[in-house]
Amino acid sequence: MLRRACRALGLAVVALAAAAPGIPQSARVLAQGTVQTQPIDPFGQDVTLPEKTIVYTTGSGSWDTAYDTLKEAFKTLQDYLDKEKLTAAGPALTIYTAMDDVSFNFQAAVPLASAPTTPQGNIGTGTSPGGKALKFVHRGSFDSMTATYDTISHFVEEKQIASKELLIEEYMTDILKTEPDKLVINIFVPID
């Protein structure tokens, strides 16, 4: 299930931090065998994430209801953006800050050009994680991400890459408006 794969990936501590050399085609097939991939979809691509100014809300949830929990968090953020007449400066993000077999803690975040002056209630401002990461792409439903996360976990372990206990999902399609089986999600695994 998604929770096992996220936990295995998020909690894996490997001694060697190495760049991922060429990605075998078999790894791509295993990771995305159940969803429609595109030839340009990266699998383990080295990237450097820029830090971005974000507004966010924090929360926790169980893996069984993760999609609904995250959608509610993003609805809260969208209501705040609409009320304050703020415009997103990039795709929405989920930053998973802690994970185990049953549950997770997260920040649901939206990048902005500059920090708002009036965060309210459970809305905070800050900066998204930056630095070196591996980029993967998932196309399809949130529930079908289990296979993608399993393969990412195996890839990281096989390459002996030291990953941080943090995962980032970037929603290239609007999580609030896109049909659940049509999602396109960039998954970033920050590395040491």
Side-chain angles (χ1 to χ4, degrees):
M1 299 278 291
L2 181 61
R3 62 182 170 259
R4 272 184 312 161
C6 286
R7 182 170 187 259
L9 182 59
L11 300 179
V13 178
V14 183
L16 176 64
I23 290 117
Q25 183 65 20
S26 61
R28 178 186 299 260
V29 171
L30 289 174
Q32 300 174 335
T34 61
V35 295
Q36 181 64 38
T37 61
Q38 301 293 320
I40 60 171
D41 285 347
F43 185 84
Q45 177 185 20
D46 289 320
V47 297
T48 301
L49 297 174
E51 291 183 348
K52 299 176 184 176
T53 299
I54 57 172
V55 291
Y56 65 89
T57 185
T58 59
S60 61
S62 71
W63 292 116
D64 293 335
T65 59
Y67 180 69
D68 293 330
T69 299
L70 293 174
K71 278 187 72 168
E72 284 303 314
F74 284 110
K75 284 180 190 174
T76 298
L77 281 174
Q78 189 59 54
D79 290 346
Y80 171 76
L81 294 175
D82 292 345
K83 181 181 174 190
E84 297 296 320
K85 296 180 177 33
L86 298 170
T87 303
L93 308 166
T94 296
I95 304 163
Y96 293 96
T97 56
M99 298 160 273
D100 63 27
D101 287 341
V102 177
S103 62
F104 59 95
N105 296 336
F106 68 93
Q107 290 180 334
V110 175
L112 297 176
S114 61
T117 57
T118 57
Q120 301 168 356
N122 61 346
I123 304 293
T125 61
T127 306
S128 65
K132 293 181 181 181
L134 298 176
K135 179 181 179 180
F136 304 85
V137 176
H138 173 79
R139 293 176 185 271
S141 73
F142 202 81
D143 291 335
S144 71
M145 289 174 62
T146 301
T148 303
Y149 271 112
D150 280 341
T151 304
I152 291 169
S153 179
H154 293 302
F155 177 85
V156 169
E157 288 174 15
E158 183 179 297
K159 300 290 184 184
Q160 297 184 344
I161 299 168
S163 61
K164 297 181 180 179
E165 293 184 20
L166 181 76
L167 292 172
I168 302 166
E169 292 175 353
E170 177 183 52
Y171 303 101
M172 301 310 294
T173 51
D174 188 331
I175 192 170
L176 296 177
K177 297 177 183 175
T178 304
E179 291 295 319
D181 62 339
K182 305 283 188 208
L183 294 171
V184 178
I185 303 169
N186 291 334
I187 299 169
F188 296 100
V189 178
I191 57 176
D192 293 326

